[in-house]
Amino acid sequence: MYGLVNKAIEQMVRSNHGAAVWSRIKAAADVDVEGFISNRPYPDELTYRLVAAASEALDAPAEEILKAFGEHWVLHTALESYGPMMRATGKTLREFLLRLPHLHTRVELIYPDLRPPQFSCHEVSDSGLDLHYWTTRPPGLEPFVEGLIFGLGKMFSTPVRVELIQHRENGSDHSVFRVSWEAAA
Ligand code: HEM
C-alpha cells in the first residue's frame, strides 16, 4: 500500500503511545524504514506485519488495532490532509456513503498505482443502508472498514451502528456491512 497508510499507522501509535513504543513495534515487525514516503508504494505485507506487531506490543487483538486505525484514518489523515475531497464527498453520513463508491476514483488521480477497495450501496433508507465491500487484498480488513464507518459517523456527528452481515471468509467474494443511524426528525 502507499506509504501514507503506514505513515498514518506510525502517527496513530506515536501520538497514543509514544516514540519508544513505535520503535519497538517497527523492530518487532522487522521494518527498517526511517520515515515512510506517502506517494511510494510499499508491499502490503509490511503493513500487515506492522498491525500484527502493534497487536502484540499493545496487547490488543489485531481487529481492535484495525478499528482504531479506521477511525484515526478518517478523523486525522483524511480530514487533515484531504479535507476538501472529504467534504465534497457528502454533507451527511448517508450522502457520503452513497458517494463512497466513487471516492477512490478521485484518489487515483493522486496515487495512480492505487489498488482501491470497491463499494456499493443497497437497501438504502433514511436510517441506513447495506454497504458492500470488495478488496483484492488478503482477508482481515473488515474491522478497518468498520472503524472507517465509525470515524465517518463522528465526522458527521451521527452515532452509527455497524453489523457485519456477510463475511467473504464464508465463501462469498465480498463482505457486507449493515449500517444504521437515527433518521433525522
Ligand atoms: C480522501 C480520503 C481518502 C484517501 C486519500 C484514501 C486513500 C487510500 C489509499 C492510498 C489506500 C491504500 C491502497 C493502495 O495503496 O493500493 C486506501 C485504502 C483503503 N481505503 Fe481509502 N482513502 C480515503 C478515504 C477512504 C474512506 C472514507 C474509506 C471508507 C470506507 C476508505 C476505505 C479504504 C479501504 C477499506 C482501504 C483498504 C484497501 C483494500 O480494502 O484493499 N478510504 N485508501
Side-chain angles (χ1 to χ4, degrees):
M1 296 203 220
Y2 272 104
L4 89 152
V5 173
N6 302 321
K7 210 169 166 169
I9 296 180
E10 170 171 359
Q11 190 199 23
M12 178 181 79
V13 172
R14 273 179 184 273
S15 62
N16 294 341
H17 306 281
V21 172
W22 172 246
S23 297
R24 264 203 286 134
I25 290 172
K26 243 179 24 161
D30 203 17
V31 169
D32 188 16
V33 177
E34 217 37 76
F36 293 104
I37 299 166
S38 291
N39 60 1
R40 202 197 114 176
Y42 293 82
D44 283 354
E45 201 235 326
L46 184 154
T47 308
Y48 283 75
R49 284 210 312 273
L50 283 175
V51 171
S55 160
E56 188 79 25
L58 303 173
D59 196 20
E63 290 78 13
E64 216 173 278
I65 307 280
L66 283 167
K67 253 188 220 176
F69 180 48
E71 270 202 48
H72 180 91
W73 179 265
V74 168
L75 298 173
H76 297 278
T77 314
L79 275 177
E80 283 165 19
S81 304
Y82 303 92
M85 205 193 297
M86 288 292 281
R87 280 186 283 276
T89 303
K91 290 192 183 60
T92 61
L93 175 64
R94 183 178 183 275
E95 190 178 60
F96 191 103
L97 291 173
L98 288 173
R99 295 200 185 138
L100 180 61
H102 309 292
L103 175 61
H104 289 86
T105 311
R106 293 203 217 157
V107 175
E108 269 175 315
L109 298 174
I110 316 173
Y111 299 102
D113 292 327
L114 197 77
R115 277 170 45 218
Q118 304 290 328
F119 294 101
S120 75
C121 294
H122 299 262
E123 312 293 334
V124 181
S125 76
D126 284 348
S127 59
L129 51 79
D130 286 353
L131 183 69
H132 291 235
Y133 161 62
W134 287 260
T135 172
T136 56
R137 298 196 157 82
L141 290 178
E142 280 73 12
F144 176 51
V145 178
E146 236 176 286
L148 285 159
I149 299 169
F150 279 120
L152 291 171
K154 287 190 178 167
M155 173 181 162
F156 292 106
S157 305
T158 302
V160 68
R161 285 179 301 279
V162 182
E163 192 191 344
L164 185 62
I165 57 168
Q166 174 181 300
H167 201 296
R168 81 171 159 130
E169 271 173 16
N170 299 333
S172 172
D173 69 340
H174 73 286
S175 295
V176 182
F177 300 86
R178 180 149 292 165
V179 185
S180 51
W181 57 85
E182 291 288 323

